[in-house]
């Protein structure tokens, strides 16, 4: 004991019923602990005995040994949580031996276990009307997390960071039940930024009088990204890749170039987007803005079956279309007339696994179509190899803009601007709690107006059409589902109601995120999945960019409602909480088009169908690297081509955008005499697995 006493830095005493816990510490480590019993004498309280604990056993020590230990200790501390009467007894006993002691604030949980953990105002964690040390608070948080299910290290780190920041365990654990504490849910803020660009005056533009007059009636000066594009030749026929945040005015660049060229007799404009809903929206906008100057038509995937109520006119001055709608026209040999301008919106789609190769192929096939018969392209001094056609590519999210511009042979116009700040929030909730949280967030936003006089409106992104309806039904304020399963009339009604501020929220699938134009102040992620795939950083950035418009709102707000230990399909390796922090901390991925064998075969077949012997040249100038020789060999093996001409089977496969394995599954079902519904069901099941 005497050797141990010489080593003791701190002797800690804490009330334990009628007795006192005693713990000896050195360098933060506990040397031993035990129980001290006091006795009352005529001279006052004195040590009766010391029971030193060793695991589950105890060893009795004499009272003198405690006194010796106390005298040799560098300091003695008494827990503040000790009752006043008990504190006075222990002080009186120590005073009798002329031993000084100080009362300190300590962690009760540690003291009850014989550990000395002093806490200060900087380290104390509040919980259940008491204060505990950070380590005990972490342990209690871990128990709460274990009760909720497994949680990723990033989410745990975030909660521990908040715990130390706000020093309130209950506030932090409440986040696990969807509580909205804005000081805790706020992850960060993306500041509003404006690059210094001298604005171009609209009256200084040298456009066709019709377009010039139209623009002057709307604006005095162009926005910064528009000014940059004009300075670098957007209205002079230069090919451009324009990369700038949502709501910075990219679309007008394509409109200025395309409508002006139409009016000057330089060919029609194709404005291409990835989604039918977005094509319908752009078609309506173009009709409203330019319908008195040009004929506008619509070409979407459904046009393969019916011409959308007669809206598709290949002779029109402006054709708004989906990638698939225009590609189908090319694959089936339709004449689109002379094309003067092609605008590819959401060009970052080139990097998507499912659709990237199809957009890559479409661009190459469309360039071939545009340059046919044009033999004087080199005289015009423009980059690109598509004759007199101007190409404008638009995106808000490209991780490798310089490289992509080189691959597309376009001038890069990059403008980093965030018109309004965006706050990003994270809270935790299960599926039921998410809807309750969404109710509160939608109500809070809609009940407030911006300094511009607009109510806050919300877009809720989720991962299924059924969930869209489920959420929309349960929101207390007016809302509507919005997804690809609705007909065009219903989608237009929702767009109109939202624009008129008759809806507090729209609930939509992540698949419709790209470019759909709802002027929302708030975006809520009910799910971080798109179908059965987790969102990419690119998709996430695109979606959160819908929050906050400079003409409507003072700021944008984004809420991620994260369910710990959740995934939406057994093929998902990560959980939602892991994905959440990967997205928040992630950097924009480079746009790279990758080709597996199926994609290479599909695009090479389409190129053979459109260009015959020129197919290899089309393959060679695509953004992704296509193994042409291998793909042609497979096409011959599958009997999709004969020489460099498609067979009837090959034409059927390419006009329906079938991958080789899909084509063979269809053929197998037909040969077995299966009902068409049965074949389709089998194909859907195969996609599920």
């Amino acid at each position: 004991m005497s050797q141990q006493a010489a080593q003791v830095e701190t002797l800690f005493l804490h009330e334990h019923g009628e007795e006192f816990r005693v713990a000896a510490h050195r360098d933060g480590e506990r040397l031993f602990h035990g129980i001290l019993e006091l006795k009352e004498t005529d001279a006052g309280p004195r040590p009766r005995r010391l029971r030193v604990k060793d695991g589950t056993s105890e060893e009795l020590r004499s009272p003198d040994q405690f006194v010796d230990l106390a005298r040799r200790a560098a300091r003695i501390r008494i827990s503040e949580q000790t009752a006043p009467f008990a504190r006075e007894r222990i002080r009186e006993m120590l005073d009798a031996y002329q031993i000084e002691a100080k009362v300190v604030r300590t962690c009760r949980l540690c003291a009850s276990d014989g550990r000395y953990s002093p806490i200060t105002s900087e380290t104390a964690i509040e919980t259940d009307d008491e204060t505990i040390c950070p380590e005990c608070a972490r342990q209690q948080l871990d128990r709460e997390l274990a009760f909720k299910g497994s949680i990723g290290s990033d989410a745990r780190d975030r909660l521990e960071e908040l715990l130390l920041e706000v020093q309130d365990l209950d506030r932090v654990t409440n986040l696990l039940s969807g509580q909205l504490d804005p000081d805790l849910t706020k992850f960060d803020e993306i500041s509003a930024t404006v690059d210094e660009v001298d604005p171009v005056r609209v009256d200084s533009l040298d456009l066709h009088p019709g377009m010039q007059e139209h623009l002057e009636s709307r604006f005095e000066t162009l926005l910064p990204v528009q000014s940059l594009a004009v300075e670098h030749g957007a209205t002079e026929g230069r090919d451009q890749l324009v990369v700038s945040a949502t709501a910075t005015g990219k679309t007008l660049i394509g409109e200025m170039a395309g409508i002006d060229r139409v009016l000057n007799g330089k060919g029609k404009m194709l404005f291409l987007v990835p989604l039918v809903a977005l094509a319908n929206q752009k078609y309506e906008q173009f009709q409203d803005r330019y319908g008195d100057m040009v004929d506008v038509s619509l070409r979407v995937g459904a046009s393969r079956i019916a011409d959308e109520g007669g809206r598709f006119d290949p002779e029109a001055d402006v054709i708004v279309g989906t990638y698939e709608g225009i590609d189908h026209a090319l694959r089936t040999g339709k004449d689109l007339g002379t094309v003067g301008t092609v605008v590819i919106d959401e060009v970052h789609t080139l990097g998507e696994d499912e659709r990237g190769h199809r957009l890559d192929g479409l661009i190459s096939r469309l360039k071939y179509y545009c340059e046919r018969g044009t033999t004087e392209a080199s005289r015009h001094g423009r980059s690109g190899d598509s004759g007199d056609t101007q190409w404008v590519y638009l995106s808000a999210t490209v991780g490798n803009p310089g490289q992509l511009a080189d691959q597309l042979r376009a001038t890069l116009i990059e403008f980093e601007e965030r018109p309004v700040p965006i706050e990003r929030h994270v809270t935790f909730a299960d599926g039921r709690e998410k809807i309750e949280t969404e109710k509160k967030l939608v109500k809070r936003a809609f009940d407030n107006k911006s300094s511009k006089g607009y109510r806050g409106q919300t877009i809720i992104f989720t991962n299924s059409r059924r969930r869209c309806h489920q959420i929309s039904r349960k929101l207390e304020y007016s809302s509507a589902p919005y997804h690809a399963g609705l007909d065009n009339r219903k989608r237009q009604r929702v767009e109109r109601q939202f624009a008129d501020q008759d809806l507090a929220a729209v609930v939509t699938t992540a698949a419709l995120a790209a470019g759909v134009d709802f002027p929302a102040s708030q975006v809520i992620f009910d799910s971080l999945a798109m179908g059965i795939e987790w969102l990419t950083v690119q998709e996430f950035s695109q979606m959160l960019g819908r929050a906050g418009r400079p003409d409507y709102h003072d700021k944008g707000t984004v809420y991620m409602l994260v369910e710990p230990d959740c995934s939406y399909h057994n093929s998902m390796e990560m959980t939602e909480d892991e994905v959440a922090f990967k997205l928040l901390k992630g950097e924009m991925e480079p746009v790279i088009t990758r080709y597996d064998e199926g994609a290479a075969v599909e695009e090479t077949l389409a190129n053979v169908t459109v260009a015959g012997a020129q197919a290899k040249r089309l393959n060679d100038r695509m953004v992704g690297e296509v193994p042409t020789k291998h793909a042609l060999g497979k096409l011959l093996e599958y009997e999709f081509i004969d020489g460099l001409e498609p067979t009837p089977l090959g034409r059927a496969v390419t006009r329906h955008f079938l991958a080789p394995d899909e084509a063979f599954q269809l053929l197998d079902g037909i040969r077995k005499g299966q009902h068409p519904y049965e074949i389709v069901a089998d194909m859907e099941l195969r996609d599920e697995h």
Side-chain angles (χ1 to χ4, degrees), residues 196-209:
E196 291 298 323
V197 175
D198 292 332
V200 171
R201 291 189 57 83
V202 172
D203 58 16
S204 71
L205 299 174
D206 184 21
L207 301 176
H208 184 279

Side-chain angles (χ1 to χ4, degrees), residues 281-296:
Q281 197 174 63
K282 293 295 183 188
Y283 169 74
E284 296 293 336
Q285 289 174 355
F286 283 15
Q287 282 278 43
D288 291 342
R289 291 175 188 169
Y290 309 113
D292 60 340
M293 291 188 282
V294 295
D295 295 326
V296 184

Side-chain angles (χ1 to χ4, degrees), residues 197-241:
V197 175
D198 292 332
V200 171
R201 291 189 57 83
V202 172
D203 58 16
S204 71
L205 299 174
D206 184 21
L207 301 176
H208 184 279
M211 189 62 181
Q212 187 77 33
E213 183 180 337
H214 171 82
L215 290 177
E216 288 179 10
S217 70
R218 294 172 63 190
F219 320 106
E220 287 188 9
T221 60
L222 296 178
L223 294 173
V225 70
Q226 299 160 355
S227 299
L228 280 176
V230 167
E231 288 173 2
H232 289 82
T235 56
E236 299 168 4
R238 293 292 300 269
D239 294 353
Q240 293 186 344
L241 167 63

Side-chain angles (χ1 to χ4, degrees), residues 25 39 56 242 250 321 386 507 519 522 565 604:
H25 288 258
K39 64 182 179 181
T56 57
V242 184
K250 295 185 298 296
S386 52
V507 191
Q522 178 172 255
D565 200 28
T604 303

Side-chain angles (χ1 to χ4, degrees), residues 553-627:
H553 313 119
D554 303 311
K555 69 175 182 178
T557 309
V558 174
Y559 270 88
M560 301 170 72
L561 309 186
V562 177
E563 183 169 358
D565 200 28
C566 165
S567 61
Y568 297 93
H569 193 268
N570 56 18
S571 64
M572 292 173 153
E573 294 181 359
M574 300 177 72
T575 58
E576 192 162 56
D577 54 293
E578 292 173 320
V579 171
F581 291 94
K582 173 178 174 285
L583 295 176
L584 286 166
K585 298 175 182 179
E587 295 184 2
M588 200 74 66
E589 300 100 331
V591 173
I592 299 173
T593 310
R594 294 181 173 86
Y595 283 88
D596 59 17
E597 183 178 281
V601 167
E602 182 182 341
E603 298 312 316
T604 303
L605 175 60
N607 287 344
V608 168
T609 303
V610 170
Q614 298 291 317
K616 183 179 184 303
R617 185 164 71 89
L618 270 64
N619 275 16
D620 288 346
R621 70 174 172 196
M622 285 157 72
V623 170
E625 293 186 13
V626 186

Side-chain angles (χ1 to χ4, degrees), residues 432-484:
R432 178 187 55 80
E433 292 166 341
K434 284 183 178 183
I435 294 180
E436 292 302 312
T437 302
E438 286 154 3
K439 282 184 188 178
K440 296 174 189 174
L441 289 171
V442 169
K443 182 179 187 303
R444 188 167 74 187
F446 202 62
D447 284 348
N448 287 283
K449 287 187 177 181
S450 71
S451 63
K452 282 105 171 162
Y454 287 90
R455 286 180 176 273
Q457 292 171 279
T458 302
I459 301 172
I460 300 176
F461 287 117
T462 190
N463 70 322
S464 73
R465 298 177 187 180
R466 186 174 67 83
R467 179 76 172 168
C468 284
H469 289 272
Q470 181 187 9
I471 294 170
S472 183
R473 282 195 302 269
K474 293 187 177 181
L475 293 178
E476 293 175 357
Y477 280 12
S478 56
S479 65
Y482 186 91
H483 54 72

